[in-house]
Structures are given as C-alpha cells and as structure tokens.
Amino acid sequence: MINVKDFIKKLNLEVLSPTTRKEWEINTAELNRPGLQFVGFYEHFAYERPQVVGLTEMAYLESLTDEVRRERLEAYFSRPIPCVILCRGMMPTQDMLELATAHDVALLRTQLVTTRFFGNAMNYLNRCLAPRATLHGVLVDVYGVGVLITGESGVGKSEAALELVKRGHQLVADDVVDVCRVTDSRLTGESPETVRHFMEIRGIGIIDIKAMYGVGAVLMSKSIDLVIHLEAWKEKKAYDRLGLSEDFTTIMDVRVPQLVLPVRPGRNLAIIIEVAARNFSLKHMGYSAAKELDRRLNEMMMGMSKQED
C-alpha cells in the first residue's frame, strides 16, 4: 500500500483534482503510459499502476474532437486506476478534470519531463515496496562504508559508535535499525523516526547526537556494506589473524561481509572499526594486504628453494 499524501509530497506533485482515498493498493514499482488506452486498446492494461501522461499522449488527446476525447477518457477513468500524473507542467483538458473528479481518481502534475519523473517515481516506489525488517544493532557511516555493529547487549556497540562520531564519522541508527532490501543485493538501514539521532549510553542515559555534535554527525539512511559483530573475548577461540578468508552473514537473503571482533579491556574498538572500513574499501578496489603478504612469502620461499637446488 502507498500513502497518497507521502507520494505527493516526496515526488513534489501538484494536486489538480484530489481523491478521498488515503492509500493506493500499488504492489509494483512500475508505471504505465496510457497511449494505447487512449486509442481504445485495453487488453493487458496495467490499471493498478500510477498512470503517467507525457507530451505524446497529451498531444494525441488534444488532436481528438471533444466528443471522441470524452468518450475515450470516460472508458479510461472507469477503470480502477490509482492516479494520473501529467508531466512537463501540462494543463489537463476540462473533460479530464471532470472525469477524474467523478471517478475519485487523483489528477496530479509535475514540472519534470516524463523520463526524469519515471526514474524518480520508480526509485520512490522501490523504497516503499521493498521488504523490511528490524535489527538490533548500531549503524554508522565510516569513511563512506556503512558499518552495522552487532553484538550482545552491553558489549559496547553504542560506546564504539560514540567514539566514531567524535572522530568525525556519522551515526545513522542506535540500538534499533530498520533495514530495507532495495535490490536483490543491496540493503539500506535507517533509524525509526521516534528515536532518530538519539543514543543510549549506560551510566549517562539518552543523549542527542545531532544536538551535541551538529547536523554533520548524523545521516538519515545508509547502505549496509559491512557487519562487525562484537563479542566478549574467548580465550580458547581461534580468531582470524590473517584475513585470507572472508566470512559472510545473511540479512533478508542478502549476503553481507562480516567480521567478528573480540572485545576486552584496553582495545580501542573505534580505531579497529576505522581500519576495518578502510580495509574493506581497499579490497573492493582489488587490493588485499593478506594476499599481498601471502604472495611475498611464497616468492621468498620459492627463491630460497631455488638457491638450495
């Protein structure tokens, strides 16, 4: 379901004829251009989508006689369409206004050209219709990398995030992260509106990051590129010391790289998370320090072997 007021506000649309409906039952991010419908062809008509009228469709309607145009529009508006958007700031015909009002169809207008509006509207609908979930963790932007910090309650997630904010990075969400799967391989996270920009620090209470550190210390949303899981140090557990292998975790059927960081007194988690974010960026650019060291060692061993021969 798509909220009517939010759709109009986010896409900066002008209301020419309002609707009494508060929500539209739209289940796809696609839009429809009704050129064939204005001609009279209704087979495979995607009436459940927002209808976008561009310059070509409007020019065709204006070329018709008043009687024929009203007949075509009557047939068109009789279908259960959610809304009609006129692009390029075009004026609707009088019969279009009358029929939209009579059939309770929202008639809207944008100043954008048709292709530009298509892109904006599809992006908006994709975000609204994308699968969502709520996770326990902290989401921060570190050097442009969206880092989701997870771990048991009290392990130090918020404290690490606070130190990162002090070092110039940005907080997206603390404790509760609303996750949205915008594509089959991309996740974004944001904070619920009621707790946005707030952080809980044990012993102090609730603090407002935006008020304390400025608007540059917070972000509304961020992609989730890397998961860092904090856990209490286990003496007998073998932690990765080379980084040759990559671990992943699955969130909403999307595989995300994951690091497990052991926590014990004296470790500066903020600096370690910064290094993890920079190392993640380097790997995306094709450079791995662990693989480079492995290559050098192999070359050295091969050189020593040849000398012995």
Side-chain angles (χ1 to χ4, degrees), residues 237-295:
K237 182 174 179 178
Y239 292 102
D240 188 4
R241 300 183 65 178
L242 295 178
L244 286 171
S245 61
E246 271 193 289
D247 292 329
F248 293 86
T249 186
T250 301
I251 303 174
M252 300 178 68
D253 298 325
V254 177
R255 293 179 76 223
V256 183
Q258 176 179 257
L259 298 174
V260 177
L261 294 186
V263 178
R264 68 177 179 182
R267 296 200 89 193
N268 191 322
L269 292 177
I271 291 179
I272 296 173
I273 292 171
E274 281 185 338
V275 171
R278 284 187 180 273
N279 197 46
F280 174 84
S281 297
L282 282 173
K283 285 183 178 180
H284 262 253
M285 291 172 11
Y287 177 82
S288 170
K291 291 181 180 179
E292 176 63 17
L293 177 60
D294 186 55
R295 183 188 65 80

Side-chain angles (χ1 to χ4, degrees), residues 7-305:
F7 181 86
I8 294 170
K9 180 181 177 182
K10 291 297 176 63
L11 294 177
N12 195 27
L13 297 172
E14 178 187 353
V15 179
L16 302 177
S17 177
T19 177
T20 59
R21 288 183 279 183
K22 295 183 179 180
E23 291 184 324
W24 293 316
E25 193 170 345
I26 298 174
N27 300 311
T28 177
E30 301 293 329
L31 293 88
N32 181 66
R33 294 189 69 170
L36 289 174
Q37 285 71 54
F38 290 162
V39 176
F41 183 80
Y42 283 93
E43 192 172 346
H44 308 299
F45 175 33
Y47 60 83
E48 72 282 358
R49 302 176 184 177
Q51 308 291 306
V52 181
V53 177
L55 184 62
T56 303
E57 292 84 5
M58 185 57 74
Y60 173 75
L61 285 176
E62 290 176 345
S63 71
L64 302 174
T65 63
D66 292 348
E67 183 179 351
V68 172
R69 182 174 61 246
R70 189 173 187 89
E71 179 184 342
R72 300 278 175 84
L73 289 175
E74 179 68 56
Y76 175 67
F77 279 102
S78 66
R79 267 68 175 184
I81 56 181
C83 61
V84 177
I85 302 109
L86 305 181
C87 295
R88 296 175 178 268
M90 295 185 296
M91 291 293 296
T93 59
Q94 186 60 35
D95 43 16
M96 183 180 286
L97 272 170
E98 293 172 359
L99 291 169
T101 303
H103 291 277
D104 196 26
V105 174
L107 186 60
L108 311 169
R109 180 167 62 185
T110 176
Q111 299 298 320
L112 298 178
V113 297
T114 312
T115 52
R116 181 70 177 273
F117 177 75
F118 251 76
N120 291 352
M122 290 176 69
N123 286 336
Y124 169 79
L125 292 172
N126 267 320
R127 290 195 301 271
C128 290
L129 300 173
R132 295 178 179 273
T134 300
L135 299 180
H136 175 63
V138 180
L139 181 59
V140 287
D141 179 298
V142 183
Y143 297 127
V145 177
V147 179
L148 177 64
I149 306 172
T150 63
E152 295 295 327
S153 181
V155 76
K157 299 184 297 294
S158 295
E159 289 80 359
L162 181 59
E163 179 65 23
L164 287 168
V165 169
K166 286 180 62 182
R167 296 173 67 88
H169 306 291
Q170 294 173 298
L171 174 73
V172 180
D174 177 62
D175 196 45
V176 180
V177 183
D178 286 341
V179 181
C180 175
R181 191 183 72 195
V182 292
T183 69
D184 291 339
S185 60
R186 184 169 179 264
L187 300 170
T188 62
E190 61 182 24
S191 174
E193 188 173 357
T194 52
V195 295
R196 187 169 294 154
H197 309 149
F198 290 104
M199 179 181 284
E200 177 195 354
I201 302 296
R202 282 176 172 78
I204 296 178
I206 303 298
I207 61 173
D208 188 332
I209 296 297
K210 183 180 177 182
M212 292 182 71
Y213 296 98
V215 69
V218 294
L219 273 182
M220 291 290 290
S221 66
K222 180 64 183 175
S223 60
I224 298 176
D225 306 306
L226 175 66
V227 175
I228 293 182
H229 183 75
L230 305 182
E231 67 175 29
W233 189 292
K234 300 175 183 176
E235 293 294 338
K236 295 183 179 180
K237 182 174 179 178
Y239 292 102
D240 188 4
R241 300 183 65 178
L242 295 178
L244 286 171
S245 61
E246 271 193 289
D247 292 329
F248 293 86
T249 186
T250 301
I251 303 174
M252 300 178 68
D253 298 325
V254 177
R255 293 179 76 223
V256 183
Q258 176 179 257
L259 298 174
V260 177
L261 294 186
V263 178
R264 68 177 179 182
R267 296 200 89 193
N268 191 322
L269 292 177
I271 291 179
I272 296 173
I273 292 171
E274 281 185 338
V275 171
R278 284 187 180 273
N279 197 46
F280 174 84
S281 297
L282 282 173
K283 285 183 178 180
H284 262 253
M285 291 172 11
Y287 177 82
S288 170
K291 291 181 180 179
E292 176 63 17
L293 177 60
D294 186 55
R295 183 188 65 80
R296 292 182 186 182
L297 290 173
N298 285 334
E299 286 181 355
M300 184 180 69
M301 292 171 64
M302 288 177 64
M304 293 174 61
S305 176

